[in-house]
């Protein structure tokens, strides 16, 4: 049996609970002070009003003028609906323990009178304090919220206060009375000010991950996590890079729908590489999106070789540029907005320059972030280039990045030293499903290095005579040791030669002396033996 659902008024929240709250449910909105509970519930009521569902706000904590003032700044005109008798605000902020029962009865009477289908009760903590016996509070609320309102088809949001520093949601009563629970917490940075979690929602498949929530001029926005899915798309069509002599090194260009990463130190030409790829697509009539996280559009226009082209004439026709700072927004917000931009523009090529911005802020989350980004690229079958900066090093090891498996193609740019000059090299480390040259290639940056477009000229010859900083130092040390050893040998050579001469002259004399001693010993032994023989006779 299908469950009838009503929108929360917040698109990002609807996506987490199968499209909205089940009609007639009682939902607990629990959170720390200042996390936007009132804003969320106001969106819920206002969405009902503009879709012909009357609403009621029951307040045990603030007066009506404060409510109207706070909601008007988000463009919610509750006063106009109040004049039409479609919205009511009941102020019980001064109610005492003796008057709580009368207040609940008035709530039921107002619902019946105004035909309200959505109500908000603010807050459960204030109601609970009015009861001396917790059991009485549980029975009263269970009857009012759990039975009477549900029987009338009224969808109710109950606000629950969670003191800062506590883990539990409330007293325990509201958790069992409610059909659903949404918890709101303070985030750690301005980019992630509020965290929203769906803890419970009966008859609903929920997303339990924490989600970033922001409150701006237009109200509350919740950013769902970009989904991670396998890419079933496969195409053998080639997308040319536009970089002279590179396409022939990679089998004619990148395979369509693949994601490539360009890795290298600052100043090597990653941005130039990416811009050349985008401009080549634009010139060939392909809509292209360039997303820069480190530079402005004006700075991009000064990029070597690109200044030759009038980017302004292409902008908003086939070329679209997004310039934003990741430090001012969460990753989820960035990916959500990028998703919407891609959906609107429908480009064929895309560049993200560069992921280094993510690494500085979200170092421990890079793998999942990049996987979500690549999944988004695959969703629209885009041919993508993503850049990332590294330290100046000749190392080919990508273990520290832990991302090599996420990309179809990997190109490494490096500084090298050759014949007393610093040069630039390119190594194609990976080209999934395609032939590629394994050589270390030299490339140059110039004003007009391409036939069609370009500033980067990939050399046809491989670099056989080169060294990195570490290799050069190692070679210098070896050479220095060899020189020292040679000098030491030359210094001691006369001594060695004299020793060898003396040794050669000394050996025959020693042999002659030992021979004479042996002979004398034999003569002496014969004399002794002769004397002994004579004595015996």
């Amino acid at each position: 049996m299908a469950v009838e659902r009503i929108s929360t008024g917040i698109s990002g929240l609807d996506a987490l609970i199968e499209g909205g709250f089940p009609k007639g449910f009682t939902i607990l909105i629990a959170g720390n002070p200042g996390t936007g509970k009132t804003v969320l519930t106001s969106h819920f009521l206002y969405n009902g009003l503009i879709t012909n569902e009357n609403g009621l706000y029951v307040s045990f904590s603030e007066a009506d003028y404060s409510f109207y003032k706070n909601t008007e700044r988000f463009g919610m005109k509750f006063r106009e609906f109040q004049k039409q008798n479609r919205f009511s605000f009941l102020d019980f902020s001064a109610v005492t323990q003796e008057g709580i029962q009368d207040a609940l009865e008035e709530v039921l009477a107002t619902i019946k009178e105004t035909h309200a289908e959505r109500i908000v009760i603010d807050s459960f903590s204030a109601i609970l304090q009015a009861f001396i016996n917790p059991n009485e509070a549980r029975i009263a609320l269970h009857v009012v919220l759990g039975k009477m309102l549900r029987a009338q088809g009224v969808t109710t949001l109950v606000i629950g206060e969670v003191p800062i520093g506590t883990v539990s949601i409330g007293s325990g009563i509201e958790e069992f009375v409610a059909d659903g629970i949404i918890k709101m917490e303070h985030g750690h940075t301005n980019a992630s000010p509020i965290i929203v979690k769906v803890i419970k929602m009966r008859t609903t498949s929920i997303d339990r991950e924490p989600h970033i929530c922001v409150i701006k001029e237009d109200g509350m926005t919740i950013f769902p996590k970009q989904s991670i899915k396998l890419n079933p798309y496969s195409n053998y069509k080639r997308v040319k890079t536009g970089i002279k002599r590179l396409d022939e090194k990679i089998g004619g260009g990148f395979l369509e729908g693949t994601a490539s990463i360009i890795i290298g130190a600052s100043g090597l030409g990653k941005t130039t590489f990416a811009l050349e790829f985008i401009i080549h697509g634009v010139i060939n009539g392909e809509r292209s999106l360039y997303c820069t996280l480190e530079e402005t559009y004006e700075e991009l226009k000064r990029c070597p070789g690109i200044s030759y082209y009038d980017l302004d004439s292409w902008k908003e026709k086939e070329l679209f540029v997004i310039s934003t700072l990741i430090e001012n927004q969460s990753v989820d917000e960035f990916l959500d907005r990028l998703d919407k931009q891609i959906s609107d523009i429908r480009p064929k090529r895309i560049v993200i320059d560069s992921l280094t911005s993510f690494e500085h802020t979200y170092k421990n989350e890079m793998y999942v972030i990049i996987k979500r980004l690549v999944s988004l690229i695959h969703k629209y079958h885009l041919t993508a280039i993503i850049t990332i900066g590294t330290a100046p090093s000749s190392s080919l090891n990508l273990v520290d990045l832990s991302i090599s498996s996420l990309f179809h193609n990997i190109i490494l740019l490096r500084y090298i030293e050759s014949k007393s000059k610093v040069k630039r090299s390119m190594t194609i480390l990976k080209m999934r499903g395609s032939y590629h040259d394994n050589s270390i290639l030299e490339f140059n940056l110039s004003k007009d290095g391409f036939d069609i477009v370009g500033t980067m000229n990939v050399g046809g010859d491989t670099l056989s005579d080169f060294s990195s900083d570490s290799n050069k130092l190692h070679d210098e040390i070896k050479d220095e040791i060899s020189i020292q050893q040679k000098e030491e040998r030359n210094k001691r050579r006369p001594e060695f030669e004299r020793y060898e001469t003396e040794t050669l002259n000394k050996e025959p004399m020693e042999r002659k002396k030992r021979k004479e001693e042996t002979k004398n010993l034999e003569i002496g032994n014969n004399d002794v033996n002769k004397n002994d023989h004579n004595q015996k006779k």
Side-chain angles (χ1 to χ4, degrees), residues 338-354:
L338 183 61
D339 190 345
K340 292 176 181 176
Q341 289 278 355
I342 295 173
S343 180
D344 292 340
I345 298 170
R346 293 292 176 176
K348 293 292 184 180
R349 303 186 182 204
I350 186 174
V351 165
I352 309 295
D353 183 23
S354 85

Side-chain angles (χ1 to χ4, degrees), residues 114-257:
T114 61
H115 304 287
E117 297 181 59
R118 303 188 183 198
I119 72 168
V120 170
I121 299 179
D122 181 13
S123 70
F124 183 88
S125 303
I127 298 175
L128 189 63
Q129 291 173 3
F131 288 90
I132 298 177
N133 189 331
N135 289 330
E136 293 181 0
R138 177 169 185 153
I139 293 172
L141 294 172
H142 181 70
V143 171
V144 174
L145 301 180
K147 289 185 177 182
M148 299 181 71
L149 297 183
R150 185 181 299 166
Q152 298 181 49
V154 176
T155 307
T156 307
L157 302 189
V158 181
I159 294 176
E161 296 289 347
V162 178
I164 295 176
T166 60
V167 178
S168 60
I169 293 179
S171 65
I173 298 175
E174 56 270 48
E175 297 180 34
F176 294 99
V177 172
D179 299 300
I181 301 174
I182 295 177
K183 189 176 182 181
M184 309 179 73
E185 304 171 352
H186 286 291
H188 301 292
T189 64
N190 288 335
S192 305
I194 303 169
I195 308 297
V196 174
K197 298 178 182 179
V198 181
I199 307 296
K200 168 186 175 184
M201 194 67 62
R202 290 174 181 150
T203 70
T204 302
S205 175
I206 61 176
D207 186 334
R208 297 182 182 275
E209 285 196 84
H211 299 275
I212 305 300
C213 172
V214 297
I215 300 175
K216 297 184 177 181
E217 293 80 5
D218 55 349
M220 176 175 286
T221 302
I222 297 175
F223 301 102
K225 300 286 186 184
Q226 180 63 42
S227 61
I228 299 176
K229 298 180 180 178
L230 291 175
N231 177 30
Y233 180 77
S234 179
N235 196 323
Y236 292 98
K237 181 181 178 181
R238 295 284 178 170
V239 176
K240 293 186 178 297
T241 65
I243 297 175
K244 186 177 181 179
R245 304 186 69 176
L246 174 61
D247 289 332
E248 65 186 60
K249 304 290 183 181
I250 57 176
F254 295 133
L255 288 174
E256 186 178 82

Side-chain angles (χ1 to χ4, degrees), residues 41-52:
T41 55
S42 298
H43 273 291
F44 168 71
L45 286 179
Y46 201 75
N47 179 262
L49 293 172
I50 61 178
T51 56
N52 297 319

Side-chain angles (χ1 to χ4, degrees), residues 260-265 359 366-367 370 388-391 393-414 427-431:
S260 308
I261 187 167
I262 311 299
I263 305 171
E359 190 176 19
M366 283 296 290
Y367 181 84
I370 295 175
I388 189 168
T390 59
S393 171
S394 65
S395 175
L396 301 180
N397 186 10
L398 298 177
V399 175
D400 292 339
L401 295 174
S402 301
I403 58 174
S404 59
S405 63
L406 302 181
F407 293 95
H408 298 88
N409 316 311
I410 301 176
I411 295 179
L412 176 66
L413 309 182
R414 292 184 292 164
T427 307
I428 305 166
L429 298 182
K430 175 182 178 183
M431 198 66 54

Side-chain angles (χ1 to χ4, degrees), residues 416-423 465-467 472 476:
I416 61 172
E417 296 178 17
S418 177
K419 299 179 181 180
S420 302
K421 291 184 179 180
V422 176
K423 296 184 178 181
D465 180 18
F466 77 94
S467 65
K472 181 181 178 183
E476 288 178 351

Side-chain angles (χ1 to χ4, degrees), residues 74-91:
F74 301 122
M76 302 180 192
K77 302 176 181 180
F78 281 99
R79 293 182 187 272
E80 294 185 5
F81 289 100
Q82 186 182 36
K83 295 176 182 178
Q84 301 172 19
N85 295 322
R86 295 191 51 211
F87 172 73
S88 302
F89 188 99
L90 297 181
D91 182 1

